[in-house]
Amino acid sequence: MKIASVIVDVPAKQTDKTFDYLIPEQWSDIIQPGTRVVIPFGPRNIQGFVTEIKSESDFNNLKAIIEPMDLEPVLNHELLNLGDWLTEHTLCFKISAYQVMLPAALKAKYEKKIKISSGAAVNDLAPILHPFFQKGRTLSWDEALQFGIVPALKKETENGLLEVHYEVKERIKKKKLKFVRPLLSAAELTAEIAKMTGRQVKQKEVLTYFVLYHEPVELKKLLSDLSISASTVKSLVEKKILIEEDMEVYRDPYLNRTFERTKPLPLSEAQKAAISPILHSIEKGEHEVFLLYGVTGSGKTEIYLQSIQNVIEKGQEAIVLVPEISLTPQMVNRFKGRFGDLVAVLHSGLSAGEKYDEWRKIHRGEVKVVVGARSAIFAPFENLGIIIIDEEHETSYKQEEMPRYHARDVAIERARNYNCSVVLGSATPSLESFARAQKKVYHLLTLPTRMNNQALPSVEIIDMREELREGNRSMFSRKLFEKLKERIERQEQSVLFLNKRGHSSFVMCRDCGYVMNCPNCDISLTYHRAGGQMKCHYCGYESLVPKRCPECSSEYIRYFGTGTQKVEDELGKILPEARVIRMDVDTTGRKGSHERLLKEFQEGKADILLGTQMIAKGLDFPNITLVGVLSADTMLHLPDFRSSEKTFQLLTQVSGRAGRHELPGEVIIQTYSPEHYSVELAGTQDYDLFYNREMMVRKTHRYPPFYYLSLITVSHEELLKAVKETEKIVAFIRSQLSNETVILGPSASPIPRINNRYRYQCLIKYKREPNLIRTLKTILDQYQKDTKSGLQVSIDVNPFILM
Ligand code: ADP
Ligand code: ZN
Ligand code: ZN
């Protein structure tokens, strides 16, 4: 008998290894590496992934696999190996690595079921239980609770008359619909029609239909197309002329839309120069990472499309990642428009069932291209020819829970396995990527101008301190107010952007714009309402909010934070005639609402679109001529060393929303820090200068891309315990790592308490540290084994958010 190595679905240290099981003879053809199986594990039946088939085991008395869950493996060889890589690089459990590669629908759920023990009979049970176990029936745990019979069940379980089983339930059923198809050939059908009497009009009609369209048709459609009743079809089925069948159908969210097919455009000289190295690497089957750096509208997407075309012609497949928020219908249309049914789309707006269907199209090789958000990087293709990551600087490519992977790293690893290339595209590349391009680790490709040679919009920076000085206490500067009014009169549209992210607030002087920074870290202090304190979450520095500004002695020093709701209210007061659409997490929570609101705006049903960063992306409407940024500062002062970079990226991105078409665009950026280089340089849209400035800051403070980071977060219900353990960890790390490495902490996490657990952290900055992964693993092993202490330790290698 063959033996399977299985990774079981219990995410814990003790079970983070393979277990051996016998493969029953009847399943030996089906169970392969990558198949999910149901296995007995302790007292329960649970799910597992087969990773290897072998003929011998070091263990005796192996249990047998109960049954396979798949008819074909859900993970191919390459993805199984990628699981090893993920485990090693993100320090996650193997089971978490496999689970993250699959659509949610394939994640098993266990149902607790109560059954009569073999040998026991219904009449042996307490009478109250008789009705529930008649004729071999089983009882689900939910039913048991509902009928209030748990105590009786418990007693009979102790008596050995009942047993509890755990059954693995698949969450999603494949969608099936009733179809009808002819059993006879067209000629035979014609003969049948001839035999029918004049009264059988409806039946004749149905047969004629099938003579013409000799293929299965959905029953419902047939009934409505021919306006006939189900009984007509039924009698033809009884005569064995037609047959009714359940057929599996895909829930295609784009099924009822038509996509205007597009053809490759003749490329501009700049595009030709940029695409040529990509095409060369496709032709040669070489692995290379390209950084395609070009402003919005410079023709990057056309380059993606034509590269993919070459890949498809070679018989290979493509993955295109775009950030969730820019996975708009407009974006999807461009890929569907070029490649039609060869495209699958994966994003969080789809239901679990829809996602599963899209995934299966990829799995079965029915599509060649997948366009999706972060997790689409795990698309189960087997012959990848290119991976494209648009807006590569976006933070949403990093998953913030286990496994804490960055899609860019996974992309490069997969591309290496397939000897294919990765194209990273951005108008404002991440510092990491641009630095790698400068060092020739990545191949830099540049598109310097917009396709239509349209000038970038003019950007004006408004100093809000000046406004206050002149008596304007509103959140709208006089200039922005005037421009908004002007747009309404001209019947043009405006976008108002509230640069707000996270929950932190910072403390700032409204007179001079002075922001309270940490003296050690060059990062703004976070305001804590309780106690009116400000804290640094990198080093632990604390201080009280001063009564007066240390810079100019003004009393107007306070913490900051404004919501979209508040802006909408104020707009109602100062511009009552304006029709406003608000887009934020509150108004776009429901499925499809994002799309609907955008559509309304596009149709001109509003003058102003007001929103958070979610509106910064993908908007490309001809009538937008004004973009206003209400508060450029909010992000600038988050306790994050990337805050300048993110501010620059966002301001550049929103500015790009104006004047994409014939009408020229204007941008107004309101700020209390007009002299800050990320605001100033976003105003002139000068990425190169920004890059140079920011690199100097990163170098001085030893941040990426000069140093790598790892973040250890420790949490416990008792504050003291959390601090003490973090101290121990810091000491241990110090003893293991080199002197060049900077180890900061213990300090409170930016969110110091979650769910009544206190959180402390240690931040490691290093350049080369061969011992790091081993050291971190030792720490994890230690704490994951010791589950009784109540301590939780999590480690994020290359964290994006230092919370
Ligand atoms: P990006 O992805 O850099 O924002 P796009 O690829 O969307 O740029 O191009 C911007 C606009 O220019 C789009 O409307 C696109 O259809 C058009 N465009 C791109 N390449 C060409 C080309 N070679 N010829 C004509 N129009 C083009
Ligand atoms: Zn500090
Ligand atoms: Zn001041």
Side-chain angles (χ1 to χ4, degrees), residues 264-269 271-272 292-306 331 334 338 390-391 426-427 447 449-452 620 657 660-661:
L265 301 167
L267 295 180
S268 68
E269 287 308 315
Q271 280 174 319
K272 274 188 203 153
L292 179 56
Y293 161 47
V295 293
T296 350
S298 61
K300 295 188 292 296
T301 310
E302 187 61 33
I303 289 189
Y304 304 154
L305 290 167
Q306 298 200 16
M331 188 72 188
R334 294 190 66 180
R338 192 66 57 89
D390 191 31
E391 314 273 9
S426 178
L447 291 176
T449 51
R450 279 184 162 184
M451 272 319 293
N452 50 7
D620 186 6
R657 295 304 119 206
R660 305 250 306 175
H661 298 263

mmCIF file of all heavy atoms in Angstrom, residues 264-269 271-272 292-306 331 334 338 390-391 426-427 447 449-452 620 657 660-661, ligand 1:
data_model
loop_
_atom_site.group_PDB
_atom_site.id
_atom_site.type_symbol
_atom_site.label_atom_id
_atom_site.label_comp_id
_atom_site.label_asym_id
_atom_site.label_seq_id
_atom_site.Cartn_x
_atom_site.Cartn_y
_atom_site.Cartn_z
ATOM 1 N N PRO A 264 -4.577 45.735 -30.632
ATOM 2 C CA PRO A 264 -3.337 46.382 -30.194
ATOM 3 C C PRO A 264 -3.146 47.699 -30.931
ATOM 4 O O PRO A 264 -3.369 47.778 -32.139
ATOM 5 C CB PRO A 264 -2.258 45.382 -30.610
ATOM 6 C CG PRO A 264 -2.944 44.080 -30.753
ATOM 7 C CD PRO A 264 -4.368 44.375 -31.131
ATOM 8 N N LEU A 265 -2.759 48.736 -30.179
ATOM 9 C CA LEU A 265 -2.530 50.030 -30.814
ATOM 10 C C LEU A 265 -1.097 50.074 -31.332
ATOM 11 O O LEU A 265 -0.210 49.458 -30.748
ATOM 12 C CB LEU A 265 -2.722 51.144 -29.777
ATOM 13 C CG LEU A 265 -4.095 51.197 -29.108
ATOM 14 C CD1 LEU A 265 -4.063 52.104 -27.891
ATOM 15 C CD2 LEU A 265 -5.127 51.705 -30.110
ATOM 16 N N PRO A 266 -0.883 50.797 -32.436
ATOM 17 C CA PRO A 266 0.509 50.987 -32.880
ATOM 18 C C PRO A 266 1.257 51.754 -31.792
ATOM 19 O O PRO A 266 0.794 52.798 -31.339
ATOM 20 C CB PRO A 266 0.385 51.831 -34.152
ATOM 21 C CG PRO A 266 -1.067 52.034 -34.402
ATOM 22 C CD PRO A 266 -1.857 51.519 -33.248
ATOM 23 N N LEU A 267 2.384 51.234 -31.352
ATOM 24 C CA LEU A 267 3.061 51.825 -30.197
ATOM 25 C C LEU A 267 3.834 53.084 -30.577
ATOM 26 O O LEU A 267 4.344 53.208 -31.681
ATOM 27 C CB LEU A 267 4.023 50.803 -29.587
ATOM 28 C CG LEU A 267 3.372 49.561 -28.994
ATOM 29 C CD1 LEU A 267 4.436 48.625 -28.428
ATOM 30 C CD2 LEU A 267 2.358 49.911 -27.921
ATOM 31 N N SER A 268 3.920 53.979 -29.605
ATOM 32 C CA SER A 268 4.736 55.178 -29.785
ATOM 33 C C SER A 268 6.217 54.781 -29.699
ATOM 34 O O SER A 268 6.540 53.676 -29.274
ATOM 35 C CB SER A 268 4.423 56.180 -28.678
ATOM 36 O OG SER A 268 4.891 55.673 -27.447
ATOM 37 N N GLU A 269 7.083 55.705 -30.074
ATOM 38 C CA GLU A 269 8.513 55.398 -30.019
ATOM 39 C C GLU A 269 8.944 55.029 -28.599
ATOM 40 O O GLU A 269 9.687 54.066 -28.392
ATOM 41 C CB GLU A 269 9.349 56.592 -30.520
ATOM 42 C CG GLU A 269 9.284 56.799 -32.037
ATOM 43 C CD GLU A 269 9.603 55.532 -32.832
ATOM 44 O OE1 GLU A 269 10.587 54.855 -32.484
ATOM 45 O OE2 GLU A 269 8.841 55.206 -33.779
ATOM 46 N N GLN A 271 7.088 53.832 -26.199
ATOM 47 C CA GLN A 271 6.535 52.517 -25.837
ATOM 48 C C GLN A 271 7.337 51.394 -26.482
ATOM 49 O O GLN A 271 7.591 50.372 -25.855
ATOM 50 C CB GLN A 271 5.075 52.428 -26.266
ATOM 51 C CG GLN A 271 4.113 53.126 -25.305
ATOM 52 C CD GLN A 271 2.690 53.131 -25.839
ATOM 53 O OE1 GLN A 271 2.465 53.351 -27.032
ATOM 54 N NE2 GLN A 271 1.728 52.868 -24.970
ATOM 55 N N LYS A 272 7.710 51.613 -27.749
ATOM 56 C CA LYS A 272 8.489 50.586 -28.453
ATOM 57 C C LYS A 272 9.789 50.318 -27.716
ATOM 58 O O LYS A 272 10.194 49.175 -27.524
ATOM 59 C CB LYS A 272 8.811 51.046 -29.877
ATOM 60 C CG LYS A 272 7.710 50.737 -30.862
ATOM 61 C CD LYS A 272 8.204 51.063 -32.271
ATOM 62 C CE LYS A 272 7.030 51.314 -33.199
ATOM 63 N NZ LYS A 272 7.398 52.210 -34.301
ATOM 64 N N LEU A 292 8.802 49.322 -14.813
ATOM 65 C CA LEU A 292 8.273 50.208 -15.848
ATOM 66 C C LEU A 292 7.796 51.481 -15.164
ATOM 67 O O LEU A 292 6.765 51.503 -14.502
ATOM 68 C CB LEU A 292 7.121 49.517 -16.592
ATOM 69 C CG LEU A 292 6.434 50.310 -17.695
ATOM 70 C CD1 LEU A 292 7.422 50.779 -18.749
ATOM 71 C CD2 LEU A 292 5.336 49.480 -18.340
ATOM 72 N N TYR A 293 8.594 52.511 -15.310
ATOM 73 C CA TYR A 293 8.367 53.760 -14.597
ATOM 74 C C TYR A 293 7.810 54.778 -15.576
ATOM 75 O O TYR A 293 8.487 55.176 -16.518
ATOM 76 C CB TYR A 293 9.700 54.189 -13.973
ATOM 77 C CG TYR A 293 9.834 55.623 -13.575
ATOM 78 C CD1 TYR A 293 8.831 56.260 -12.842
ATOM 79 C CD2 TYR A 293 10.971 56.345 -13.893
ATOM 80 C CE1 TYR A 293 8.957 57.578 -12.455
ATOM 81 C CE2 TYR A 293 11.121 57.669 -13.507
ATOM 82 C CZ TYR A 293 10.103 58.277 -12.795
ATOM 83 O OH TYR A 293 10.239 59.582 -12.418
ATOM 84 N N GLY A 294 6.553 55.164 -15.371
ATOM 85 C CA GLY A 294 5.946 56.129 -16.281
ATOM 86 C C GLY A 294 4.738 56.770 -15.641
ATOM 87 O O GLY A 294 3.967 56.092 -14.954
ATOM 88 N N VAL A 295 4.559 58.063 -15.863
ATOM 89 C CA VAL A 295 3.442 58.777 -15.246
ATOM 90 C C VAL A 295 2.111 58.162 -15.671
ATOM 91 O O VAL A 295 2.044 57.429 -16.658
ATOM 92 C CB VAL A 295 3.440 60.283 -15.619
ATOM 93 C CG1 VAL A 295 4.621 60.979 -15.006
ATOM 94 C CG2 VAL A 295 3.408 60.466 -17.132
ATOM 95 N N THR A 296 1.048 58.473 -14.920
ATOM 96 C CA THR A 296 -0.273 57.996 -15.278
ATOM 97 C C THR A 296 -0.616 58.498 -16.678
ATOM 98 O O THR A 296 -0.391 59.659 -16.972
ATOM 99 C CB THR A 296 -1.349 58.557 -14.311
ATOM 100 O OG1 THR A 296 -0.681 59.182 -13.224
ATOM 101 C CG2 THR A 296 -2.266 57.491 -13.833
ATOM 102 N N GLY A 297 -1.115 57.608 -17.492
ATOM 103 C CA GLY A 297 -1.483 58.017 -18.844
ATOM 104 C C GLY A 297 -0.335 57.926 -19.827
ATOM 105 O O GLY A 297 -0.450 58.353 -20.973
ATOM 106 N N SER A 298 0.788 57.351 -19.409
ATOM 107 C CA SER A 298 1.945 57.296 -20.306
ATOM 108 C C SER A 298 1.921 56.051 -21.195
ATOM 109 O O SER A 298 2.815 55.862 -22.016
ATOM 110 C CB SER A 298 3.242 57.350 -19.502
ATOM 111 O OG SER A 298 3.324 56.259 -18.620
ATOM 112 N N GLY A 299 0.907 55.194 -21.010
ATOM 113 C CA GLY A 299 0.783 54.045 -21.908
ATOM 114 C C GLY A 299 1.333 52.749 -21.342
ATOM 115 O O GLY A 299 1.681 51.840 -22.096
ATOM 116 N N LYS A 300 1.389 52.626 -20.017
ATOM 117 C CA LYS A 300 1.895 51.404 -19.397
ATOM 118 C C LYS A 300 0.957 50.223 -19.673
ATOM 119 O O LYS A 300 1.410 49.133 -20.018
ATOM 120 C CB LYS A 300 2.048 51.589 -17.879
ATOM 121 C CG LYS A 300 3.096 52.625 -17.485
ATOM 122 C CD LYS A 300 3.336 52.632 -15.991
ATOM 123 C CE LYS A 300 2.159 53.125 -15.169
ATOM 124 N NZ LYS A 300 1.789 54.531 -15.407
ATOM 125 N N THR A 301 -0.351 50.477 -19.511
ATOM 126 C CA THR A 301 -1.297 49.376 -19.659
ATOM 127 C C THR A 301 -1.236 48.775 -21.053
ATOM 128 O O THR A 301 -1.334 47.559 -21.230
ATOM 129 C CB THR A 301 -2.723 49.849 -19.309
ATOM 130 O OG1 THR A 301 -2.664 50.523 -18.047
ATOM 131 C CG2 THR A 301 -3.672 48.683 -19.205
ATOM 132 N N GLU A 302 -1.064 49.621 -22.048
ATOM 133 C CA GLU A 302 -0.943 49.111 -23.424
ATOM 134 C C GLU A 302 0.284 48.199 -23.552
ATOM 135 O O GLU A 302 0.256 47.192 -24.253
ATOM 136 C CB GLU A 302 -0.876 50.287 -24.413
ATOM 137 C CG GLU A 302 -0.925 49.891 -25.883
ATOM 138 C CD GLU A 302 -2.205 49.157 -26.289
ATOM 139 O OE1 GLU A 302 -3.284 49.443 -25.726
ATOM 140 O OE2 GLU A 302 -2.116 48.262 -27.160
ATOM 141 N N ILE A 303 1.326 48.543 -22.844
ATOM 142 C CA ILE A 303 2.529 47.695 -22.850
ATOM 143 C C ILE A 303 2.231 46.352 -22.174
ATOM 144 O O ILE A 303 2.638 45.294 -22.665
ATOM 145 C CB ILE A 303 3.709 48.417 -22.164
ATOM 146 C CG1 ILE A 303 4.164 49.557 -23.077
ATOM 147 C CG2 ILE A 303 4.851 47.458 -21.874
ATOM 148 C CD1 ILE A 303 5.432 50.223 -22.659
ATOM 149 N N TYR A 304 1.491 46.392 -21.063
ATOM 150 C CA TYR A 304 1.111 45.131 -20.411
ATOM 151 C C TYR A 304 0.338 44.257 -21.396
ATOM 152 O O TYR A 304 0.603 43.074 -21.552
ATOM 153 C CB TYR A 304 0.183 45.354 -19.197
ATOM 154 C CG TYR A 304 0.692 46.267 -18.107
ATOM 155 C CD1 TYR A 304 -0.205 46.947 -17.282
ATOM 156 C CD2 TYR A 304 2.049 46.435 -17.873
ATOM 157 C CE1 TYR A 304 0.229 47.776 -16.259
ATOM 158 C CE2 TYR A 304 2.489 47.273 -16.856
ATOM 159 C CZ TYR A 304 1.569 47.946 -16.054
ATOM 160 O OH TYR A 304 1.999 48.777 -15.055
ATOM 161 N N LEU A 305 -0.649 44.896 -22.058
ATOM 162 C CA LEU A 305 -1.535 44.135 -22.941
ATOM 163 C C LEU A 305 -0.753 43.476 -24.068
ATOM 164 O O LEU A 305 -0.950 42.301 -24.371
ATOM 165 C CB LEU A 305 -2.621 45.058 -23.516
ATOM 166 C CG LEU A 305 -3.674 45.556 -22.505
ATOM 167 C CD1 LEU A 305 -4.488 46.701 -23.093
ATOM 168 C CD2 LEU A 305 -4.589 44.422 -22.084
ATOM 169 N N GLN A 306 0.150 44.238 -24.670
ATOM 170 C CA GLN A 306 0.871 43.671 -25.814
ATOM 171 C C GLN A 306 1.901 42.627 -25.373
ATOM 172 O O GLN A 306 2.182 41.680 -26.101
ATOM 173 C CB GLN A 306 1.506 44.787 -26.650
ATOM 174 C CG GLN A 306 0.415 45.714 -27.207
ATOM 175 C CD GLN A 306 0.855 46.544 -28.396
ATOM 176 O OE1 GLN A 306 1.867 46.266 -29.026
ATOM 177 N NE2 GLN A 306 0.071 47.572 -28.713
ATOM 178 N N MET A 331 -10.835 49.138 -15.491
ATOM 179 C CA MET A 331 -9.585 48.382 -15.586
ATOM 180 C C MET A 331 -9.860 46.998 -16.165
ATOM 181 O O MET A 331 -9.164 46.533 -17.073
ATOM 182 C CB MET A 331 -9.007 48.273 -14.166
ATOM 183 C CG MET A 331 -7.630 47.687 -14.121
ATOM 184 S SD MET A 331 -6.468 48.891 -14.756
ATOM 185 C CE MET A 331 -4.994 47.903 -14.821
ATOM 186 N N ARG A 334 -10.478 46.759 -19.901
ATOM 187 C CA ARG A 334 -9.347 46.835 -20.822
ATOM 188 C C ARG A 334 -8.759 45.459 -21.089
ATOM 189 O O ARG A 334 -8.306 45.183 -22.196
ATOM 190 C CB ARG A 334 -8.278 47.779 -20.277
ATOM 191 C CG ARG A 334 -8.812 49.205 -20.250
ATOM 192 C CD ARG A 334 -7.767 50.214 -19.952
ATOM 193 N NE ARG A 334 -6.749 50.324 -20.993
ATOM 194 C CZ ARG A 334 -5.743 51.173 -20.909
ATOM 195 N NH1 ARG A 334 -5.636 51.944 -19.844
ATOM 196 N NH2 ARG A 334 -4.851 51.238 -21.863
ATOM 197 N N ARG A 338 -9.492 43.143 -24.607
ATOM 198 C CA ARG A 338 -8.423 42.666 -25.472
ATOM 199 C C ARG A 338 -8.427 41.149 -25.586
ATOM 200 O O ARG A 338 -8.202 40.597 -26.645
ATOM 201 C CB ARG A 338 -7.066 43.157 -24.946
ATOM 202 C CG ARG A 338 -5.890 42.992 -25.893
ATOM 203 C CD ARG A 338 -5.973 43.836 -27.162
ATOM 204 N NE ARG A 338 -6.098 45.265 -27.007
ATOM 205 C CZ ARG A 338 -5.085 46.121 -26.915
ATOM 206 N NH1 ARG A 338 -3.857 45.692 -26.955
ATOM 207 N NH2 ARG A 338 -5.311 47.405 -26.794
ATOM 208 N N ASP A 390 0.857 46.064 -11.404
ATOM 209 C CA ASP A 390 0.621 47.475 -11.678
ATOM 210 C C ASP A 390 0.583 48.224 -10.344
ATOM 211 O O ASP A 390 0.173 47.661 -9.335
ATOM 212 C CB ASP A 390 -0.709 47.640 -12.426
ATOM 213 C CG ASP A 390 -0.871 49.051 -12.958
ATOM 214 O OD1 ASP A 390 0.154 49.685 -13.294
ATOM 215 O OD2 ASP A 390 -2.024 49.529 -13.042
ATOM 216 N N GLU A 391 0.968 49.471 -10.334
ATOM 217 C CA GLU A 391 1.024 50.272 -9.107
ATOM 218 C C GLU A 391 1.812 49.507 -8.051
ATOM 219 O O GLU A 391 1.336 49.293 -6.943
ATOM 220 C CB GLU A 391 -0.384 50.549 -8.565
ATOM 221 C CG GLU A 391 -1.393 51.001 -9.587
ATOM 222 C CD GLU A 391 -1.397 52.507 -9.803
ATOM 223 O OE1 GLU A 391 -0.495 53.185 -9.289
ATOM 224 O OE2 GLU A 391 -2.284 52.977 -10.518
ATOM 225 N N SER A 426 4.741 51.580 -12.292
ATOM 226 C CA SER A 426 4.307 52.636 -11.379
ATOM 227 C C SER A 426 4.717 54.005 -11.903
ATOM 228 O O SER A 426 5.693 54.143 -12.626
ATOM 229 C CB SER A 426 4.935 52.429 -10.001
ATOM 230 O OG SER A 426 4.555 53.473 -9.127
ATOM 231 N N ALA A 427 3.922 55.005 -11.504
ATOM 232 C CA ALA A 427 4.306 56.385 -11.773
ATOM 233 C C ALA A 427 5.170 56.893 -10.632
ATOM 234 O O ALA A 427 5.916 57.861 -10.780
ATOM 235 C CB ALA A 427 3.061 57.252 -11.914
ATOM 236 N N LEU A 447 8.834 55.584 -19.362
ATOM 237 C CA LEU A 447 7.920 56.261 -20.283
ATOM 238 C C LEU A 447 7.775 57.689 -19.780
ATOM 239 O O LEU A 447 7.045 57.948 -18.841
ATOM 240 C CB LEU A 447 6.550 55.576 -20.298
ATOM 241 C CG LEU A 447 6.470 54.191 -20.919
ATOM 242 C CD1 LEU A 447 5.061 53.628 -20.748
ATOM 243 C CD2 LEU A 447 6.836 54.234 -22.394
ATOM 244 N N THR A 449 6.500 60.622 -20.964
ATOM 245 C CA THR A 449 5.405 61.577 -21.162
ATOM 246 C C THR A 449 4.053 60.895 -21.303
ATOM 247 O O THR A 449 3.974 59.707 -21.593
ATOM 248 C CB THR A 449 5.615 62.415 -22.445
ATOM 249 O OG1 THR A 449 5.879 61.493 -23.513
ATOM 250 C CG2 THR A 449 6.761 63.378 -22.299
ATOM 251 N N ARG A 450 3.013 61.696 -21.095
ATOM 252 C CA ARG A 450 1.658 61.189 -21.289
ATOM 253 C C ARG A 450 1.423 60.908 -22.767
ATOM 254 O O ARG A 450 1.955 61.605 -23.631
ATOM 255 C CB ARG A 450 0.640 62.221 -20.811
ATOM 256 C CG ARG A 450 0.433 62.203 -19.313
ATOM 257 C CD ARG A 450 -0.661 63.183 -18.938
ATOM 258 N NE ARG A 450 -1.173 62.903 -17.601
ATOM 259 C CZ ARG A 450 -2.188 63.554 -17.051
ATOM 260 N NH1 ARG A 450 -2.819 64.498 -17.722
ATOM 261 N NH2 ARG A 450 -2.597 63.242 -15.846
ATOM 262 N N MET A 451 0.597 59.911 -23.051
ATOM 263 C CA MET A 451 0.326 59.500 -24.426
ATOM 264 C C MET A 451 -0.166 60.642 -25.294
ATOM 265 O O MET A 451 0.262 60.824 -26.412
ATOM 266 C CB MET A 451 -0.731 58.397 -24.462
ATOM 267 C CG MET A 451 -0.221 56.999 -24.335
ATOM 268 S SD MET A 451 1.265 56.651 -25.251
ATOM 269 C CE MET A 451 0.685 56.803 -26.935
ATOM 270 N N ASN A 452 -1.123 61.405 -24.746
ATOM 271 C CA ASN A 452 -1.736 62.457 -25.562
ATOM 272 C C ASN A 452 -0.936 63.758 -25.479
ATOM 273 O O ASN A 452 -1.416 64.806 -25.881
ATOM 274 C CB ASN A 452 -3.167 62.700 -25.112
ATOM 275 C CG ASN A 452 -3.257 62.900 -23.605
ATOM 276 O OD1 ASN A 452 -2.234 62.986 -22.931
ATOM 277 N ND2 ASN A 452 -4.461 62.997 -23.093
ATOM 278 N N ASP A 620 -11.134 58.072 -14.310
ATOM 279 C CA ASP A 620 -10.667 58.631 -15.567
ATOM 280 C C ASP A 620 -11.859 59.180 -16.331
ATOM 281 O O ASP A 620 -12.287 58.633 -17.323
ATOM 282 C CB ASP A 620 -9.960 57.533 -16.376
ATOM 283 C CG ASP A 620 -9.315 58.088 -17.632
ATOM 284 O OD1 ASP A 620 -9.322 59.323 -17.810
ATOM 285 O OD2 ASP A 620 -8.828 57.292 -18.447
ATOM 286 N N ARG A 657 -5.664 62.754 -11.523
ATOM 287 C CA ARG A 657 -7.084 62.531 -11.841
ATOM 288 C C ARG A 657 -7.670 63.678 -12.634
ATOM 289 O O ARG A 657 -8.737 63.546 -13.210
ATOM 290 C CB ARG A 657 -7.926 62.374 -10.563
ATOM 291 C CG ARG A 657 -7.617 61.173 -9.739
ATOM 292 C CD ARG A 657 -7.744 59.914 -10.530
ATOM 293 N NE ARG A 657 -6.464 59.239 -10.556
ATOM 294 C CZ ARG A 657 -6.079 58.410 -11.508
ATOM 295 N NH1 ARG A 657 -6.848 58.182 -12.538
ATOM 296 N NH2 ARG A 657 -4.922 57.822 -11.451
ATOM 297 N N ARG A 660 -7.512 64.648 -17.622
ATOM 298 C CA ARG A 660 -6.965 63.528 -18.379
ATOM 299 C C ARG A 660 -7.384 63.622 -19.837
ATOM 300 O O ARG A 660 -6.898 62.903 -20.670
ATOM 301 C CB ARG A 660 -7.471 62.212 -17.789
ATOM 302 C CG ARG A 660 -7.180 62.067 -16.323
ATOM 303 C CD ARG A 660 -6.157 61.036 -16.041
ATOM 304 N NE ARG A 660 -6.484 59.751 -16.625
ATOM 305 C CZ ARG A 660 -5.658 58.723 -16.580
ATOM 306 N NH1 ARG A 660 -4.489 58.857 -16.003
ATOM 307 N NH2 ARG A 660 -5.993 57.577 -17.111
ATOM 308 N N HIS A 661 -8.338 64.488 -20.114
ATOM 309 C CA HIS A 661 -8.847 64.536 -21.482
ATOM 310 C C HIS A 661 -8.688 65.946 -22.053
ATOM 311 O O HIS A 661 -7.694 66.582 -21.750
ATOM 312 C CB HIS A 661 -10.279 64.035 -21.495
ATOM 313 C CG HIS A 661 -10.347 62.602 -21.035
ATOM 314 N ND1 HIS A 661 -10.390 61.551 -21.905
ATOM 315 C CD2 HIS A 661 -10.319 62.058 -19.799
ATOM 316 C CE1 HIS A 661 -10.393 60.415 -21.230
ATOM 317 N NE2 HIS A 661 -10.361 60.698 -19.947
HETATM 318 P P1 ADP B 1 -1.097 54.127 -18.056
HETATM 319 O O1 ADP B 1 -1.376 52.672 -17.875
HETATM 320 O O2 ADP B 1 0.359 54.467 -17.989
HETATM 321 O O3 ADP B 1 -1.940 55.010 -17.182
HETATM 322 P P2 ADP B 1 -2.515 53.792 -20.534
HETATM 323 O O4 ADP B 1 -1.944 52.566 -21.112
HETATM 324 O O5 ADP B 1 -3.814 53.694 -19.836
HETATM 325 O O6 ADP B 1 -1.460 54.490 -19.556
HETATM 326 O O7 ADP B 1 -2.590 54.876 -21.676
HETATM 327 C C1 ADP B 1 -3.213 56.135 -21.511
HETATM 328 C C2 ADP B 1 -4.160 56.416 -22.672
HETATM 329 O O8 ADP B 1 -3.445 56.413 -23.893
HETATM 330 C C3 ADP B 1 -5.232 55.362 -22.818
HETATM 331 O O9 ADP B 1 -6.436 55.973 -23.158
HETATM 332 C C4 ADP B 1 -4.718 54.479 -23.937
HETATM 333 O O10 ADP B 1 -5.768 53.876 -24.643
HETATM 334 C C5 ADP B 1 -3.953 55.454 -24.787
HETATM 335 N N1 ADP B 1 -2.841 54.814 -25.485
HETATM 336 C C6 ADP B 1 -1.890 54.024 -24.934
HETATM 337 N N2 ADP B 1 -1.003 53.616 -25.869
HETATM 338 C C7 ADP B 1 -1.402 54.152 -27.034
HETATM 339 C C8 ADP B 1 -0.892 54.101 -28.383
HETATM 340 N N3 ADP B 1 0.213 53.414 -28.690
HETATM 341 N N4 ADP B 1 -1.560 54.767 -29.329
HETATM 342 C C9 ADP B 1 -2.676 55.475 -29.024
HETATM 343 N N5 ADP B 1 -3.198 55.560 -27.796
HETATM 344 C C10 ADP B 1 -2.575 54.917 -26.799
#
